[in-house]
Amino acid sequence: MEYNFNEIEAKWQKYWADNQTFKAIDGSTLPKYYVLDMFPYPSGAGLHVGHPLGYIASDIYARYKRHQGFNVLHPQGYDSFGLPAEQYAIQTGQHPALTTEANIATYRRQLDKIGFSFDWSREVRTSNPEYYKWTQWIFIQLFDSWYNKDTDKAEDIKTLVSKFKKAGNAQVRAVADEDIAVFTAEQWKGYPKEQQESILLQYRLTYLSETEVNWCPELGTVLANDEIINGFSERGGYPVIRKKMTQWSMRISAYAQRLLDGLQNIDWPHSLKDAQTNWIGRSQGASVRFQVLLPAQAEGKTSKMSFKELEALKEKRANPTKASALLWARLKKKKAASKFRANYTLGNYQVDFVCLAKQTVVEFSGKDNQAQRKDYFEKEGFQVLYITSKDIEKNVAAVLVHIETALQFPKTAAIYKTVDASIETPEIEVFTTRPDTIFGVTFMTLAPEHDLVTKITTAAQKTAVEAYVKATSKRSERERMADVKTISGVFTGAYASHPLTGDKIPIWIGDYVLASYGTGAVMAVPCGDQRDWDFAKHFKIVIKNIFKDVDVSEGAYAEKDAVIANSDFLNDLKVNKASKLAIFELEKRGFGSGKINYRLRDAVFSRQRYWGEPFPVYYKNGLPQTIDPAHLPIVLPEVEKYLPTKDGNPPLGNATEWAWDSRNKKVVSNDKLKNKTVYPLELNTMPGWAGSSWYFNRYMDPTNEGTFVSKEAANYWREVDLYIGGSEHATGHLLYARFWQKFLFDRGHLPVEEFAKKLINQGMILGTSAFVYRIEGTNTFVSKGLLADQKVQPLHVDVSLVNSSDELDVEAFKNHPMYSDFNTAEFLLEDGTYMVGREVEKMSKSKYNVVNPDAICVEHGADALRMFEMFLGPLEQAKPWKTSGISGVSSFLKKLWKLYHTTGVFGVSEEEPTQDELKILHKTIKKVQEDIEHFSFNTSVSTFMIAVNELAAQKCCKKAILEPLLVLISPYAPHIAEELWNQLGHTSSIATASFPVFESKYLVESSKVYPISFNGKMRFTLELPLDLSKEALEKTVLAHEKTRAQLKGKTPKKVIVVPGKIVNIVG
RNA sequence: GCUCGAGUGGUGGAAUUGGUAGACACGCUGGACUUAAAAUCCAGUGGACUGUAAGGUCCGUAUGGGUUCAAGUCCCAUCUCGAGUACCA
C-alpha cells in the first residue's frame, strides 16, 4: 500500500468537517483550554508559507491539550474590515464586501488544506453586522463611562452626574480633559442641557475633541501613532502631516498605569512587555509653574517674592524674634492636632504662621500692608487672626487658647488655592524628571505651537518669532525628525520668574521641544541636559553649573550619581533626596507638585474611510448622541463612490440613506433631515483595531444575539490560555485589546482583567529573494559569477523561476508575462546557466519571493508542510524559507508509513514488545511531552525521526509500540496519524485518544557510559555500573590502563566524581 | 543615541540544572540497485596533524579577559548583526 498523502489528507479533512471533530463544548465539566491565533486580515494575495507558522504551532498545542483531556477552544475568524479592500473598491468600484468575501473563500480553502483543528462553527468576521453590532455596543459603553481616580476604575457616567448634582466638580478626581472649568452643584443644575452635555463629553472614555492628528493626505484619513513609521503611513508608505481636526478619541491614557502594572501578571515575551512599557513611557518628576513677567516687572520687580524678600526670609528664619520663637515652640507641640507652618509663602505674601488644614492665618498685627494682606488671605478662603508680641510675652498660653478657639470654626466651603492665575500674569507649566536641577534653570523653551507664544512675545521680537513659527510649521514631521542636529530657535523677548530664586529667566522658542509631549514647554537646565546645553551654547545663553566637582564646559552632565551644588537648600544632596525636597518646596510655595507623566496619548478613533464600523452616533444641535443599543446594528450604508466627498467629508458623506429618525428609531433617507426628529449620522468609521480589540471574547459565545458574550460563557472560558501571533502588534492591537478588556472588566461585563494569560510571538518566515543583474542602460543580464566592476541594476525575479541551485530558467523568464519587457534580452551565462543572486528579505509580493503553501501541500502533503515548518527552527526565531530541506520530513513520513507496512500491506504484530522497543517508546514520550510544553516543536520533530529510525533498525512492528507512537505524532502530522489509527482498527478519531503516559521504569539503566575527562577535557569513555559508589568509581577509573596512559606516570592532584554524570581527573 | 535580543560546521539548527559540543536534517563525497536517470538503501562528513590499519594527538561555540575541578552555558569588556524606539524634557 502506497503512502498517498493527497488522498489521505483530503479524506480526513472531510471526515473532521463532517463529524465536527473539533467542536468545543460550552460549559463542559472537563477543564477548559483556550488556544487562539491572531485572526488574519484576508488579503487578496492569499496565504504564503509564513502565515501558517503560528497556526501550526497553536494547532499542535490544541491537539496535544485534547489528548490530555481538555475541552479545547481553538477558533478562527477574519479581521475583515480594512484598507486594501477599500483601495481596491476605489480603483474598480467593486464593493469591499464582495472582495472580502472572495478573499475569505480563498483563505478558508488554503487553511483547510493544512488540516487545522479549528472549531469553524465559532467563526467571526469583524465586518459582519451581527459582529459589529457589539463593537458598536462597546463604543456606547465607553461613551457612557468616565474614569474615577478615587476608585481607580471606569464607572457609569450616571455616578458622575450625581456627584455633580451633589457637590459640583471640584472634588471629582477623574481622568478627563485638561482645563475643565470648576462649577458648583447649583451652577450644574442651572446649566442648559447642551452645556451639561458638552461638559460630560470632557469626561467620557470616548470623546469628541479637536486634536492635532496624523493626517495622511494620500490615504485621505487620519492614522494612529502606531500606524506611522518614521513619519510615513504603515500601509502604503505615504507622508503623514499634523493637522487639527475634530475626532473621536479613546481615553486609553486613563489606563496607562494599570496597563503597565498588568504586565506583571501575564506570561508574555519579555521583549513585548518592554515594547509596551516604552510605549506607555512612564516618567516620574514634577510639574513646575513659571510666572511670566509683565514687561514692567521684567524691568526689575517681580510679582512674587523678590530676591531681597527671600534673603530677608532666610534671615528671619535664622533669627526669630523672641515672641515669635516663643509661640512657635508651643505651636509646634500642637503638631498632631493642627499642623502649623511658620514663615510660609501664600501667594505674594509671606505669613508669620499658617494652618493649612484649618484655613487659618496667624499674623503679628501692625504690618504696613495689613489691610491688603487680609483682603488677599480672605479671598483665598482663610480666616486671619492677629496677635502681638506683647501678648505672647505676657501669656503665651492665653494666646494659644485664642488660636485654638478660632481653629474650631474654620471656613469650610473655601478651597485652598495659592494659584492666582490672572490674565496679566500667565504661567508656563513644564514637566521635568529632574526637579533637583531647578536651580540650574537659565532659560525656558516653548514648542513653536505652544498657545502662549503669541501672548507673551514682545513687540520687538514679534517679527522674528512669527517668521520662525511659520517656518517650522511648514516643515513636515519627517523633516523635523530627520534634521535633529540643526539647532534653531528664537527669543520671545519675554521673561519668567524663577519660582525659587525670583531670577529673570528668558523665554525662548525652539523646535526641539515637542508640542505633543508633556506640556509643550521645558525648563532648560543646560548643565544637566545635552539638548539644553547645545541650545544654550548656540544662542550664547548662560550655563549655570549646579553639580559638585563636575566640569560642564564641554557638555551637559546627565549622570544620576550627581551631587548638587550652588543650589541653596539642595546643596550636597543627591538626585533622589534633592528631587523630593525640591518638590516639597515647590508644593509649599504653590509653584508645582510631584507628577507622573506618560508618553501614551489618547488614541484617535475616527477614520475617514468607508470599510469600517459605522459609529452608533447622530448629531443633535452639533452634540453627539448615541443610539439606544436596542436598535443596533447601525449597518454600513451603500455609497456610489468610496472616495471622500467634494466638500471634504468622509466617504459616508456620499450615502443618501444616512440620517437617524429618532422617533421611529431607524436609519432613513437624508431627505428627511428637514424633519425636526431626524438627525445626521456620524460620517467617520472606526479604525481597524476596534473589531480586533474584543474578538477573543466573542468566540466564547459567537452567535449570542442578546449580549456580546454571556456571563456563563465568559465565566467558563474566562480568558485565552495561549495566544500566538506576530510581535508587530505589540503597541497596537495588543495594547488596545488589553485596554478594552480592562474597561469591560471594570464595568462588570467580563470576569478577568487580562485577556491572554500566555502569549508567544512566532518569528517571521523570511523569503529568499532572487536577483538578476541588468547592465545599466542595456537589455543585457549578467550571471552572478560574472559580475565584475560593471555597473548593474539588480532586479527582483520571481523565485518560482529559479531552482534550488540558484539557476534561472531563462526561457521561462523571457516568456513570463510579468517580464515581457525582457523577452528579447540577452543573457551572459556561466557554464551554460544563469546564476541568480540571493538575499534573505521579508516575504512579500513586491519582492517576488512568496512561496505558496498550496503547492507544497500538493507536492509533499500537508503533514510534511506542518512538520517542515516546525522543523525550520525555534518558533520564536525569524528564519529564512528554503524548500530544499523539506525532503527530510517527506522521507521521514514515508519511513513512518513503512513501519506499519513492512511487507507492502498493512500489518502489525500483537507480540509483546522488547525492553529496547519499550525504551525507545518511553524515551520518545518523555521528550515529546517536554518539548510541546516548552513550545520547542523543532526538537520534537527530530525526536520522531530518531524514534522511527531506531524502530526501523529494530524492525519493530509491534502494535503495543506503534499504536501509542501515532498519538504522539498526531498533533504534528494529523492526517497520516488518523489514517494509520484507522488501519489499526479504530473507529473513532485519533483526536479523542489520550496521550500515552510516560513510565520511567522503562528507562532505568544499570550502567552508564562515563565520560572520563582530564582537566575538563573529555579523553575517553568507560561503561560502568550505575550502582558503583563514588569511591569504587574513582578506584576503577584510576586503575584503568587508558587513565594511566593519560597520566603518563603522574599522580593526579584531585579527582572529581559525579556519579551518573562525569569523572574529571585534575593533574 | 536608548532599550531588548542574538552570534555554534558548507547550511537550518541541537546541547532543558555549568558536566561527552555539533543531536536531527539539508547539502556534499563514496558505494549498492539500474542500460541510464529518478526513487530507495548503506557508509562517511567541524578543522589541522599523524598512522598500512585499529587508532592517536592538538585546536575548536564572534574577540579578549575572569570565576570554576569543569564554561557554548555564569561574570566583565570589546566587536558584529537583528528588532523596537527615538529631540519624551
Side-chain angles (χ1 to χ4, degrees):
Chain A
M1 213 199 271
E2 277 282 292
Y3 170 42
N4 186 339
F5 47 80
N6 285 325
E7 214 169 86
I8 291 169
E9 289 172 1
K11 172 176 155 193
W12 290 106
Q13 282 162 13
K14 184 169 186 308
Y15 174 92
W16 296 329
D18 290 348
N19 292 279
Q20 300 221 35
T21 309
F22 306 114
K23 200 170 159 63
I25 299 135
D26 289 308
S28 148
T29 50
L30 292 174
K32 69 99 189 183
Y33 201 89
Y34 186 178
V35 184
L36 183 67
D37 296 298
M38 289 186 185
F39 63 166
Y41 172 77
S43 86
L47 289 175
H48 63 63
V49 290
H51 294 118
L53 182 78
Y55 304 160
I56 295 169
S58 65
D59 198 57
I60 289 169
Y61 206 78
R63 286 173 181 270
Y64 168 71
K65 280 285 173 182
R66 282 193 202 96
H67 288 309
Q68 294 276 17
F70 285 85
N71 177 28
V72 172
L73 174 55
H74 186 39
Q76 188 57 290
Y78 304 96
D79 189 12
S80 47
F81 271 135
L83 266 178
E86 180 161 348
Q87 297 290 70
Y88 189 74
I90 292 168
Q91 286 159 24
T92 64
Q94 159 127 253
H95 197 288
L98 297 176
T99 318
T100 304
E101 192 74 25
N103 292 347
I104 286 177
T106 308
Y107 264 65
R108 181 61 191 273
R109 186 178 48 72
Q110 289 186 298
L111 289 171
D112 282 348
K113 283 247 167 76
I114 304 172
F116 293 118
S117 65
F118 293 131
D119 177 357
W120 283 108
S121 71
R122 292 172 186 261
E123 181 193 303
V124 302
R125 300 180 187 185
T126 55
S127 61
N128 272 1
E130 299 78 50
Y131 178 87
Y132 69 66
K133 168 181 174 177
W134 297 108
T135 312
Q136 292 173 336
W137 178 83
I138 294 170
F139 175 86
I140 295 170
Q141 300 309 303
L142 283 153
F143 185 84
D144 285 339
S145 302
W146 66 292
Y147 200 91
N148 186 347
K149 279 192 201 171
D150 288 329
T151 55
D152 202 19
K153 63 177 200 174
E155 289 181 13
D156 194 317
I157 197 84
K158 284 182 194 134
T159 66
L160 183 65
V161 174
S162 72
K163 275 175 193 282
F164 287 171
K165 280 185 190 156
K166 215 190 266 166
N169 69 347
Q171 307 293 331
V172 170
R173 298 207 318 127
V175 181
D177 287 5
E178 304 210 333
D179 309 323
I180 298 178
V182 178
F183 51 81
T184 63
E186 275 59 44
Q187 283 172 312
W188 170 259
K189 287 171 198 159
Y191 288 149
K193 195 146 177 37
E194 277 79 14
Q195 194 177 349
Q196 290 184 344
E197 278 300 318
S198 55
I199 288 169
L200 286 177
L201 204 49
Q202 296 179 293
Y203 288 87
R204 295 179 188 276
L205 285 187
T206 182
Y207 60 99
L208 210 49
S209 71
E210 172 153 274
T211 39
E212 282 242 326
V213 295
N214 307 299
W215 173 256
C216 179
E218 315 284 326
L219 293 173
T221 189
V222 302
L223 297 171
N225 285 347
D226 65 280
E227 292 170 315
I228 300 159
I229 297 164
N230 286 331
F232 286 87
S233 65
E234 185 187 20
R235 285 202 177 267
Y238 304 114
V240 173
I241 59 166
R242 309 276 309 165
K243 190 179 170 183
K244 277 212 162 177
M245 281 178 79
T246 298
Q247 300 282 300
W248 285 102
S249 288
M250 286 278 164
R251 221 178 286 281
I252 187 172
S253 59
Y255 284 87
Q257 189 60 48
R258 282 171 64 192
L259 287 168
L260 210 51
D261 296 341
L263 293 173
Q264 306 286 324
N265 310 319
I266 46 181
D267 182 8
W268 286 21
H270 182 76
S271 59
L272 198 148
K273 288 186 181 182
D274 262 5
Q276 291 205 345
T277 305
N278 287 336
W279 191 261
I280 295 168
R282 180 188 206 266
S283 45
Q284 192 158 9
S287 154
V288 185
R289 287 187 294 273
F290 286 71
Q291 289 264 299
V292 178
L293 297 179
L294 297 174
Q297 295 168 326
E299 295 299 315
K301 294 173 282 176
T302 70
S303 72
K304 296 262 167 169
M305 255 191 303
S306 72
F307 205 66
K308 235 185 215 165
E309 273 181 296
L310 226 98
E311 292 299 312
L313 175 70
K314 270 191 226 163
E315 168 85 25
K316 206 165 153 193
R317 274 188 178 149
N319 310 302
T321 63
K322 195 179 162 196
S324 175
L326 207 57
L327 181 63
W328 182 231
R330 302 295 285 263
L331 281 177
K332 263 203 305 205
K333 281 188 190 155
K334 304 294 294 180
K335 232 177 182 173
S338 314
K339 190 179 177 183
F340 267 87
R341 295 165 195 267
N343 296 323
Y344 190 85
T345 317
L346 270 187
N348 292 343
Y349 305 105
Q350 175 222 323
V351 298
D352 296 324
F353 304 99
V354 63
C355 173
L356 296 176
K358 294 286 167 78
Q359 301 272 295
T360 302
V361 167
V362 178
E363 291 226 274
F364 286 98
S365 60
K367 288 195 166 64
D368 294 346
N369 50 358
Q370 181 166 318
Q372 231 175 305
R373 294 170 73 104
K374 186 167 190 266
D375 219 45
Y376 175 79
F377 296 143
E378 288 183 345
K379 215 172 77 198
E380 291 292 328
F382 287 82
Q383 63 170 329
V384 190
L385 301 181
Y386 291 101
I387 48 171
T388 63
S389 311
K390 233 158 118 195
D391 289 342
I392 293 168
E393 279 167 42
K394 227 159 73 191
N395 191 347
V396 194
V399 175
L400 275 170
V401 170
H402 167 65
I403 294 172
E404 268 176 52
T405 315
L407 283 182
Q408 287 168 19
F409 308 98
K411 297 191 173 177
T412 45
I415 304 146
Y416 172 62
K417 250 178 86 193
T418 52
V419 190
D420 53 348
S422 50
I423 309 146
E424 302 87 55
T425 57
E427 287 177 336
I428 298 172
E429 190 183 346
V430 300
F431 174 74
T432 175
T433 53
R434 293 289 302 274
D436 57 307
T437 63
I438 186 136
F439 285 96
V441 174
T442 57
F443 65 102
M444 301 187 74
T445 316
L446 305 184
E449 300 90 344
H450 198 284
D451 287 341
L452 280 178
V453 170
T454 48
K455 286 180 195 152
I456 63 168
T457 302
T458 59
Q461 290 298 99
K462 200 168 177 236
T463 333
V465 167
E466 278 175 0
Y468 182 72
V469 171
K470 206 175 164 193
T472 38
S473 69
K474 263 193 195 159
R475 297 176 75 193
S476 69
E477 195 89 334
R478 170 80 184 167
E479 279 174 304
R480 236 166 109 172
M481 263 195 299
D483 179 28
V484 175
K485 289 193 185 84
T486 317
I487 295 159
S488 74
V490 63
F491 180 45
T492 60
Y495 291 86
S497 162
H498 190 288
L500 296 181
T501 65
D503 288 350
K504 268 171 67 181
I505 306 289
I507 305 169
W508 287 69
I509 299 172
D511 70 357
Y512 80 96
V513 176
L514 303 176
S516 56
Y517 182 76
T519 60
V522 299
M523 56 175 229
V525 183
C527 67
D529 184 288
Q530 194 56 45
R531 292 155 307 172
D532 295 344
W533 193 92
D534 292 340
F535 196 86
K537 204 79 186 168
H538 189 262
F539 290 109
K540 303 194 170 59
I541 305 169
V542 184
I543 298 173
K544 178 186 172 192
N545 187 12
I546 50 134
F547 297 116
K548 203 173 183 178
D549 306 327
V550 167
D551 179 17
V552 293
S553 58
E554 292 303 315
Y557 182 77
E559 308 300 319
K560 290 275 174 182
D561 59 357
V563 176
I564 306 293
N566 208 3
S567 296
D568 200 304
F569 59 91
L570 299 179
N571 284 345
D572 300 319
L573 295 176
K574 289 199 173 171
V575 177
N576 276 350
K577 270 201 172 161
S579 292
K580 271 186 200 142
L581 194 56
I583 291 170
F584 176 78
E585 204 64 25
L586 285 165
E587 267 175 26
K588 199 172 88 179
R589 300 184 187 199
F591 285 116
S593 54
K595 191 181 176 183
I596 291 160
N597 203 50
Y598 299 93
R599 203 190 76 123
L600 183 70
R601 320 255 41 102
D602 280 347
V604 179
F605 197 66
S606 306
R607 295 292 182 276
Q608 291 68 49
R609 309 299 309 185
Y610 174 74
W611 193 229
E613 298 88 346
F615 283 79
V617 167
Y618 62 94
Y619 289 88
K620 193 169 162 181
N621 303 326
L623 280 169
Q625 312 288 327
T626 52
I627 287 164
D628 190 303
H631 311 298
L632 299 181
I634 300 302
V635 179
L636 197 58
E638 295 299 319
V639 290
E640 279 281 314
K641 273 196 295 184
Y642 302 99
L643 284 168
T645 63
K646 279 197 196 105
D647 44 354
N649 275 325
L652 291 192
N654 292 318
T656 52
E657 291 259 326
W658 199 237
W660 182 249
D661 181 338
S662 65
R663 186 179 299 160
N664 298 311
K665 314 287 184 197
K666 60 176 190 183
V667 177
V668 294
S669 163
N670 294 356
D671 305 338
K672 302 205 172 148
L673 277 170
K674 302 180 272 279
N675 295 2
K676 262 192 188 154
T677 55
V678 176
Y679 302 98
L681 281 158
E682 169 72 55
L683 299 180
N684 288 292
T685 55
M686 299 187 197
W689 54 268
S692 59
S693 295
W694 70 281
Y695 75 109
F696 33 84
N697 288 313
R698 187 63 178 171
Y699 284 134
M700 298 173 184
D701 193 7
T703 54
N704 197 320
E705 288 176 19
T707 171
F708 79 112
V709 55
S710 70
K711 283 259 178 329
E712 302 77 60
N715 281 328
Y716 178 73
W717 295 110
R718 298 185 71 79
E719 76 274 82
V720 175
D721 293 286
L722 174 66
Y723 195 22
I724 296 188
S727 59
E728 66 273 19
H729 298 108
T731 52
H733 159 60
L734 289 172
L735 201 59
Y736 296 129
R738 291 184 60 219
F739 160 41
W740 279 26
Q741 181 80 11
K742 284 184 187 298
F743 164 72
L744 291 166
F745 168 79
D746 280 358
R747 294 302 316 275
H749 299 297
L750 290 173
V752 275
E753 198 174 338
E754 291 288 346
F755 79 94
K757 254 192 206 163
K758 182 174 177 66
L759 183 135
I760 292 179
N761 290 131
Q762 89 275 26
M764 215 187 331
I765 290 195
L766 303 164
T768 316
S769 302
F771 293 91
V772 290
Y773 302 95
R774 180 159 70 151
I775 300 177
E776 267 180 14
T778 70
N779 208 8
T780 304
F781 291 86
V782 202
S783 180
K784 195 189 173 220
L786 303 174
L787 289 177
D789 294 334
Q790 47 196 332
K791 281 212 162 185
V792 290
Q793 181 191 12
L795 294 172
H796 275 99
V797 59
D798 198 300
V799 287
S800 63
L801 302 174
V802 183
N803 68 14
S804 55
S805 315
D806 298 351
E807 296 163 347
L808 176 73
D809 186 336
V810 175
E811 283 314 304
F813 176 72
K814 282 189 193 172
N815 297 327
H816 199 283
M818 207 162 60
Y819 303 109
S820 54
D821 290 356
F822 306 129
N823 51 19
T824 57
E826 232 183 285
F827 288 82
L828 301 180
L829 309 175
E830 48 182 320
D831 302 330
T833 57
Y834 186 95
M835 305 294 287
V836 297
R838 290 285 199 176
E839 209 174 295
V840 172
E841 295 179 293
K842 193 177 168 177
M843 196 173 275
S844 104
K845 218 177 155 185
S846 63
K847 295 188 170 74
Y848 303 107
N849 58 4
V850 171
V851 182
N852 190 308
D854 301 3
I856 309 271
C857 285
V858 170
E859 204 178 328
H860 303 276
D863 286 337
L865 174 74
R866 291 169 66 106
M867 288 205 114
F868 181 56
E869 292 222 2
M870 290 300 101
F871 193 52
L872 278 175
L875 178 61
E876 285 158 87
Q877 216 169 75
K879 50 225 156 217
W881 178 267
K882 272 216 217 143
T883 321
S884 51
I886 203 164
S887 62
V889 289
S890 270
S891 60
F892 159 75
L893 290 170
K894 281 179 210 160
K895 278 186 219 166
L896 176 72
W897 181 264
K898 240 189 190 165
L899 270 186
Y900 299 77
H901 299 84
T902 33
T903 56
V905 293
F906 178 80
V908 292
S909 104
E910 300 286 339
E911 248 178 286
E912 280 293 304
T914 66
Q915 282 304 305
D916 272 356
E917 289 164 348
L918 283 165
K919 191 173 149 192
I920 294 168
L921 175 68
H922 282 269
K923 173 175 94 175
T924 307
I925 295 171
K926 182 167 188 277
K927 181 80 166 86
V928 169
Q929 184 155 5
E930 280 168 3
D931 283 347
I932 294 181
E933 273 158 18
H934 290 107
F935 304 96
S936 176
F937 302 115
N938 54 328
T939 50
S940 40
V941 176
S942 338
T943 306
F944 293 135
M945 290 174 170
I946 293 167
V948 167
N949 286 344
E950 286 180 355
L951 290 174
Q954 303 256 339
K955 297 208 174 11
C956 171
C957 55
K958 318 267 171 66
K959 189 177 172 189
I961 301 294
L962 296 185
E963 195 170 69
L965 181 70
L966 280 183
V967 183
L968 296 183
I969 290 179
S970 87
Y972 291 79
H975 308 88
I976 192 172
E978 195 77 88
E979 175 65 23
L980 293 171
W981 186 253
N982 183 254
Q983 290 185 15
L984 278 168
H986 294 277
T987 49
S988 57
S989 165
I990 193 169
T992 61
S994 36
F995 205 76
V997 178
F998 165 67
E999 285 183 67
S1000 55
K1001 67 178 180 195
Y1002 296 112
L1003 298 196
V1004 174
E1005 304 263 6
S1006 59
S1007 70
K1008 151 101 190 157
V1009 180
Y1010 276 94
I1012 313 298
S1013 359
F1014 293 80
N1015 297 318
K1017 290 198 195 311
M1018 202 278 288
R1019 285 298 175 247
F1020 60 90
T1021 56
L1022 270 186
E1023 183 164 0
L1024 297 166
L1026 267 170
D1027 53 8
L1028 225 52
S1029 73
K1030 216 171 158 176
E1031 292 70 28
L1033 206 58
E1034 179 172 340
K1035 221 174 138 190
T1036 321
V1037 170
L1038 285 178
H1040 199 273
E1041 52 171 309
K1042 280 191 178 172
T1043 309
R1044 288 209 303 271
Q1046 280 290 336
L1047 287 170
K1048 293 186 183 109
K1050 282 180 287 184
T1051 323
K1053 279 189 199 137
K1054 200 174 175 185
V1055 180
I1056 310 280
V1057 180
V1058 186
K1061 280 250 160 103
I1062 197 167
V1063 177
N1064 189 20
I1065 297 161
V1066 185

